Amino acid sequence: MTKAIGCISGGLDSQLAVCLLQRQGIDVLALHVQHLWQPKLLAEDERNAGVRAVEARGVPVRLVNAAQADLEMIQHPEHGFGKRMNPCIDCRIWTLRQAKRLMEEEGADFVFTGEVLGQRPMSQHRGALALVAREAGLEDLLVRPLSAKCLPPTRLEREGKVNRDALMDFAGRSRKPQMALAAEFGLTDYPTPAGGCLLTDPGFAYRLRELMDHGTPTIANVELLKVGRHFRLPPPPGRSPATPGRSPDGSRVVVGRRHEDNLRLEKLFQPGDVRLEADRLPGPTTLLRGDASDENLEIAAGLTLRYGKAKPGEVHPVCVAPVGETPSILDARAADDELARRLIISPENRP
């Protein structure tokens, strides 16, 4: 039996690609890459609804964590960025190389994806599709079932292991052909195509660039960017940046926006962080990462009160709990709007 390795994101296109090959009697093993740039935290559910739908069709799914590779790609994007901070070409090549490795380990015949010609401007035009296949070492072993009839036949199609006539000729950004094919296969519960990659989000991309301006990013610090309002604390008096554009103080405060945000933030505390909450007053959970000086604690406590139920300028006790240490109480004054606007990390607040 012909066997294939499918790169699946969990979106509709990859589900349809699986269905088209299964209909030909091809044995499918799926590969799902867990990227650092997905909206969920790495500690949260690893299998999205689309991946579970593929599993429900009897397809085993292998998970690969790409977090460390993702960090390296944004620091050294060989093929550049898209509109914001998305190194789409490098990302596709890396994923396909993982699929090629799995293909060789499993003795499979080829790799396939749910890519559609012309659907994405950076990574799915003809030149880009040819480039990623060539750089991944899959030039004649990569089938794209949804656009196969728009592309040159692969070796699998020429040899008859894959019936080209049973594949599709989808091209462009319209979703109507996919929706019609989904109805044919009885697929009704699938996600919308909008943004699974945070690198294309203007706010997240700005916060990531700002983080990189203050040093080499880590997985823990990038995960933190997914949650809450972010504030960069000023450097201590008398200290100036060592290099242009790079602050010597990487300290930041993250304030939860709502209850669900506070719960997510709880998962991200690590040794050295400080947890702050208003004492006996509804409000956010706040995380201070970096220098826990008296000045920084006062600012963090003031921001905690500013986004809670405290009145402007009101003095109120705040519980200050360094991770692994005994909590204490700090009487702080709620920060005013001017300070919050000056410190918040946002595209609207760029210099």
Side-chain angles (χ1 to χ4, degrees):
M1 177 183 288
T2 302
K3 184 173 182 178
I5 305 299
C7 299
I8 64 164
S9 65
L12 177 60
D13 292 348
S14 56
Q15 290 184 57
L16 292 174
V18 169
C19 292
L20 286 169
L21 294 181
Q22 280 189 319
R23 187 161 65 179
Q24 295 192 29
I26 293 171
D27 184 24
V28 173
L29 172 62
L31 174 70
H32 176 64
V33 176
Q34 188 184 18
H35 285 289
L36 185 56
W37 318 120
Q38 64 184 15
K40 285 188 173 184
L41 302 178
L42 293 174
E44 295 174 343
D45 187 13
E46 296 176 333
R47 286 172 162 81
N48 60 39
V51 172
R52 293 195 294 271
V54 169
E55 290 178 316
R57 297 186 66 86
V59 176
V61 178
R62 300 281 181 85
L63 298 177
V64 174
N65 188 315
Q68 193 59 49
D70 285 337
L71 282 182
E72 294 169 4
M73 280 185 269
I74 61 159
Q75 293 175 84
H76 309 288
E78 184 177 345
H79 295 90
F81 290 126
K83 185 176 181 180
R84 303 204 187 277
M85 287 198 69
N86 43 311
C88 297
I89 300 292
D90 291 354
C91 184
R92 293 304 300 165
I93 293 170
W94 188 90
T95 298
L96 290 171
R97 285 172 177 168
Q98 309 314 302
K100 180 176 184 286
R101 184 177 297 116
L102 184 58
M103 177 188 75
E104 294 167 347
E105 292 172 355
E106 293 289 329
D109 299 281
F110 66 99
V111 170
F112 71 92
T113 73
E115 292 168 297
V116 173
L117 176 65
Q119 187 178 83
R120 295 183 180 177
M122 182 179 183
S123 61
Q124 292 182 356
H125 57 82
R126 288 184 185 276
L129 294 179
L131 171 66
V132 298
R134 183 172 63 252
E135 297 249 343
L138 288 168
E139 193 166 11
D140 212 24
L141 295 173
L142 178 57
V143 177
R144 295 172 168 109
L146 297 184
S147 293
K149 292 180 180 177
C150 301
L151 301 169
T154 62
R155 191 176 84 193
L156 287 304
E157 295 163 84
R158 296 194 301 271
E159 293 177 352
K161 292 183 178 180
V162 175
N163 181 2
R164 181 178 174 86
D165 292 336
L167 302 181
M168 311 308 293
D169 60 354
F170 297 168
R173 305 193 69 174
S174 173
R175 303 292 293 173
K176 291 181 179 179
Q178 286 95 315
M179 293 170 69
L181 186 59
E184 182 181 332
F185 282 115
L187 300 177
T188 57
D189 185 17
Y190 47 84
T192 62
C197 178
L198 289 172
L199 292 175
T200 63
D201 176 80
F204 183 89
Y206 182 84
R207 290 194 296 273
L208 179 58
R209 284 189 185 277
E210 195 275 345
L211 177 68
M212 293 172 67
D213 283 342
H214 289 81
T216 303
T218 65
I219 292 172
N221 283 341
V222 169
E223 285 281 86
L224 196 57
L225 297 182
K226 301 176 183 180
V227 182
R229 301 176 180 88
H230 287 246
F231 302 85
R232 176 66 63 188
L233 299 183
R239 188 189 299 182
S240 58
T243 57
R246 186 174 292 263
S247 168
D249 189 353
S251 302
R252 70 169 50 214
V253 169
V254 183
V255 180
R257 293 179 181 273
R258 57 188 68 86
H259 177 65
E260 294 76 13
D261 225 19
N262 292 340
L263 295 178
R264 298 181 79 201
L265 193 57
E266 292 285 359
K267 302 175 183 178
L268 300 176
F269 282 89
Q270 59 185 23
D273 292 344
V274 180
R275 184 181 188 274
L276 301 97
E277 284 187 333
D279 187 42
R280 299 187 301 277
L281 186 71
T285 297
T286 296
L287 180 151
L288 168 62
R289 179 165 294 171
D291 182 12
S293 64
D294 291 342
E295 293 81 1
N296 284 351
L297 287 172
E298 286 184 11
I299 294 173
L303 291 169
T304 302
L305 295 173
R306 158 68 178 78
Y307 290 98
K309 297 295 185 181
K311 297 177 182 178
E314 179 182 358
V315 175
H316 193 86
V318 174
C319 181
V320 178
V323 172
E325 298 182 23
T326 304
S328 61
I329 294 294
L330 172 65
D331 289 328
R333 186 179 301 277
D336 57 31
D337 291 349
E338 192 280 330
L339 177 65
R341 282 195 297 267
R342 179 157 51 87
L343 297 182
I344 197 165
I345 302 171
S346 167
E348 290 73 34
N349 198 34
R350 69 181 65 187

